[in-house]
Amino acid sequence: MDAIWVAALNGLVVGASLALVAAGLALLFGVLDILNFAQGDFFMLGAYAVWLILGLGLNFWIGLAVGVVAVGVVGGLTLMLLLWPLRHRSHALMLLATLAISLILEQLATNVFGADSKPVAAPVSGRIPIGHTAYPVYYLLVVAAAAVILLGGYLFLRYAKYGIWLRAVAQNHRMAGLLGVPVVRVYALAFVAGSGLAAVAGSLLAPLTSVYPTLGLDINLDAFVVVIAGGLGNFRGAAVIALALGIVESLGSTWIQGEAVRILVFGLVIVLLIVRAQRGRGAVRV
Amino acid sequence: MLELVDLHAFYGRSHIVQGVSMRVAAGDGVGLVGHNGVGKTTTLRSIMADGPRTEGTITFKGADLTGVPTGARVRRGLGMVPDEEAVFPRMSVEENIRIGALLRGAKMADQALDLAYELFPVLAERRAQPAGTLSGGQQKMLALARGLALRPDLVLVDEPSEGLMPINVELISEALRRAVKAGTGVLVVDSSFDLLRTVCDRVCVMQRGLLTGEYPMAGFAGPDQLVATYLGER
């Protein structure tokens, strides 16, 4: 019984981090209509930020803050600068551009930090008993932090001025502009928030995964699955599906082979895609 | 308040508006009429910097608008209610009205809601409903209510009566008439004689990208006479 609880909690930890990455991806898709292949790399850069700051002898949480600001603001705005001139061109071109950014960031990380895996110590080392198992407190902290950030994001989109404008621009940017909404600023916000969410997840998960240049690859694939299954552009849907995916994969792996679980999950996504193809695309929803 | 001098507008190589000059003052109700495709909507969009490339001069409240982006034009007191896709379908009626008003603070947003609901009480009844689930007529009312609730100095309205039942045309005409009476300049593109008669003091006729005449609305006895004018039969 303990194994099931632990597997469920592990799933929740992975799902919570995945939810952050996927929510950022959904946000960006909602306003710009593109899937950002570099999202996983922002996750990776967030993890490296923590590793670097810890290497300087500073606090983990400072590393997290630096990672979010640096990756969110610098990374997000750089991504925007690169994609902005392409916004009226074909979507395939924008997708290729994000893929190029992803490859460049991975190669840069390899050249600068090396290809080896860097361990990161968790800032909280305590354990709490779950049945007969001592479960790391930090894992639960990751879930709590992700929940707070996602709830904050939901409330922001629902009630804050810029949240309302973000949804408006996502649904009809021309009309939003005609009402005086600062459309370019709203786009910039989507880029910064989308990249920042990935960086938070990367920083939080660094002690669980260690840090290496291709760290973002797996989570990127999972985030794509989540965003597609949750409804492209659907912030809340992405968060819910991410949690569900994490738990199902983790629990499923206790009974059947992990690879078989993934095949089942991908099969379900194909079914969802067929259903959603008949409904059309969504803008940012909360 | 608004003055167009030799306005030209282009979509790519297509020269749509070919030298329009006109004025709309505060409290003026002006109709822009003509066949489909003569450049009426493009004229409105040019005034808002909403798409077409333009040449010529657009002056608003004494300031040249050349190079001024759409958002800044809105902040200077211009507003536009487009014909199509004017509402945010997955946002509630209330959110639709608040979007633009939020630019001027929460208090203005509340005032905008009050004014919009006063103009069209049906919107108050449906305030929590997603705008995309409203009927076509209600969506037109929502777009117009939002446009007027922002209290622009001059509002451009594109085909507000298109596809509406006569009762809704009356409601929309009355809302525009009130705006004109309150001192708002209104430049409206529409073909409904009843709406034009209620809202406008004069109409400008457009043919093939050019203004071919300006007539007092009171001079038209009925819709046939108006149509004959813009068909060039009068």
Side-chain angles (χ1 to χ4, degrees):
Chain A
M1 195 62 190
D2 282 1
I4 292 173
W5 278 113
V6 168
L9 281 171
N10 285 341
L12 207 57
V13 174
V14 173
S17 314
L18 185 56
L20 289 173
V21 179
L25 205 59
L27 206 60
L28 212 54
F29 183 88
V31 293
L32 209 62
D33 242 12
I34 55 153
L35 282 169
N36 173 22
F37 278 105
Q39 186 75 352
D41 300 282
F42 291 139
F43 176 89
M44 174 266 289
L45 290 176
Y48 268 114
V50 166
W51 174 76
L52 277 171
I53 293 291
L54 284 175
L56 295 172
L58 296 170
N59 185 293
F60 177 92
W61 303 110
I62 294 175
L64 188 141
V66 168
V68 174
V69 173
V71 177
V73 177
V74 180
L77 291 181
T78 306
L79 185 67
M80 183 178 174
L81 277 175
L82 291 169
L83 294 183
W84 195 249
L86 303 174
R87 69 191 185 282
H88 299 307
R89 309 289 292 274
S90 84
H91 285 186
L93 205 60
M94 295 227 281
L95 278 175
L96 283 174
T98 66
L99 184 60
I101 294 162
S102 166
L103 293 172
I104 290 167
L105 287 175
E106 273 170 37
Q107 194 56 51
L108 271 177
T110 308
N111 292 356
V112 175
F113 304 117
D116 59 318
S117 181
K118 326 269 188 210
V120 171
V124 179
S125 55
R127 289 176 174 265
I128 56 165
I130 291 177
H132 299 292
T133 310
Y135 198 76
V137 173
Y138 180 71
Y139 285 31
L140 299 177
L141 207 64
V142 170
V143 176
V148 168
I149 292 165
L150 288 171
L151 181 65
Y154 171 78
L155 294 174
F156 173 80
L157 283 174
R158 191 90 181 83
Y159 300 110
K161 179 168 79 177
Y162 270 89
I164 292 171
W165 284 350
L166 227 155
R167 285 188 287 137
V169 168
Q171 285 182 39
N172 187 343
H173 65 91
R174 178 191 161 220
M175 191 61 235
L178 282 173
L179 289 171
V181 172
V183 175
V184 178
R185 228 181 294 165
V186 170
Y187 275 122
L189 173 69
F191 275 100
V192 169
S195 312
L197 281 169
V200 177
S203 304
L204 284 172
L205 227 60
L208 281 70
T209 57
S210 41
V211 189
Y212 48 94
T214 54
L215 176 63
L217 281 182
D218 280 346
I219 198 135
N220 215 24
L221 182 63
D222 281 347
F224 272 39
V225 169
V226 162
V227 169
I228 291 164
L232 291 163
N234 188 340
F235 186 87
R236 187 174 49 183
V240 170
I241 295 284
L243 288 174
L245 182 71
I247 293 169
V248 167
E249 279 197 7
S250 186
L251 277 178
S253 302
T254 60
W255 290 298
I256 50 178
Q257 270 195 334
E259 293 306 316
V261 177
R262 290 186 74 79
I263 290 170
L264 273 175
V265 168
F266 287 138
L268 273 175
V269 170
I270 291 169
V271 173
L272 269 168
L273 273 175
I274 293 167
V275 173
R276 286 189 191 284
Q278 291 158 18
R279 286 193 191 169
R281 167 195 105 65
V284 171
R285 277 170 277 160
V286 292
Chain B
M1 184 164 42
L2 175 76
E3 186 173 14
L4 311 181
V5 180
D6 195 26
L7 178 72
H8 294 254
F10 306 82
Y11 282 113
R13 288 181 186 173
S14 302
H15 190 178
I16 311 293
V17 177
Q18 302 178 6
V20 165
S21 298
M22 69 186 297
R23 284 178 181 209
V24 184
D28 269 359
V30 180
L32 189 57
V33 297
H35 256 316
N36 284 340
V38 296
K40 305 183 298 289
T41 297
T42 304
T43 302
L44 299 191
R45 293 187 70 175
S46 300
I47 297 167
M48 294 305 294
D50 175 36
R53 179 172 65 82
T54 59
E55 289 173 7
T57 311
I58 303 170
T59 312
F60 183 59
K61 292 197 279 192
D64 186 356
L65 293 184
T66 305
V68 176
T70 306
R73 293 182 192 212
V74 173
R75 285 190 288 280
R76 289 183 187 194
L78 273 171
M80 181 170 171
V81 182
D83 174 24
E84 290 175 340
E85 297 184 352
V87 301
F88 301 92
R90 276 182 289 277
M91 298 176 83
S92 70
V93 166
E94 187 157 321
E95 285 177 329
N96 263 272
I97 297 167
R98 287 169 63 87
I99 290 165
L102 281 170
L103 274 171
R104 300 173 204 178
K107 195 176 168 193
M108 172 64 194
D110 290 341
Q111 286 173 357
L113 284 170
D114 290 343
L115 178 57
Y117 295 154
E118 188 193 328
L119 286 172
F120 301 110
V122 68
L123 298 177
E125 293 163 22
R126 297 174 185 274
R127 65 178 71 200
Q129 198 172 316
T133 63
L134 298 176
S135 69
Q138 288 164 349
Q139 288 190 26
K140 289 261 186 191
M141 285 179 205
L142 172 58
L144 184 64
R146 183 184 55 200
L148 295 176
L150 294 173
R151 297 184 189 278
D153 296 316
L154 190 143
V155 65
L156 316 171
V157 191
D158 196 10
E159 305 276 9
S161 78
E162 193 183 34
L164 296 191
M165 291 189 301
I167 179 71
N168 288 335
V169 175
E170 261 179 54
L171 284 170
I172 277 178
S173 306
E174 183 53 28
L176 285 169
R177 191 191 65 79
R178 273 183 60 176
V180 170
K181 211 171 166 187
T184 305
V186 172
L187 176 58
V188 58
V189 169
D190 208 272
S191 55
S192 159
F193 183 78
D194 290 335
L195 182 140
L196 292 169
R197 190 174 51 184
T198 307
V199 179
C200 303
D201 318 306
R202 63 184 204 272
V203 290
C204 296
V205 174
M206 212 169 167
Q207 286 175 335
R208 295 182 186 175
L210 289 164
L211 281 192
T212 54
E214 188 173 315
Y215 305 88
M217 194 59 208
F220 295 104
D224 293 344
Q225 215 179 348
L226 177 67
V227 172
T229 302
Y230 67 71
L231 287 178
E233 294 167 0
R234 184 190 161 196

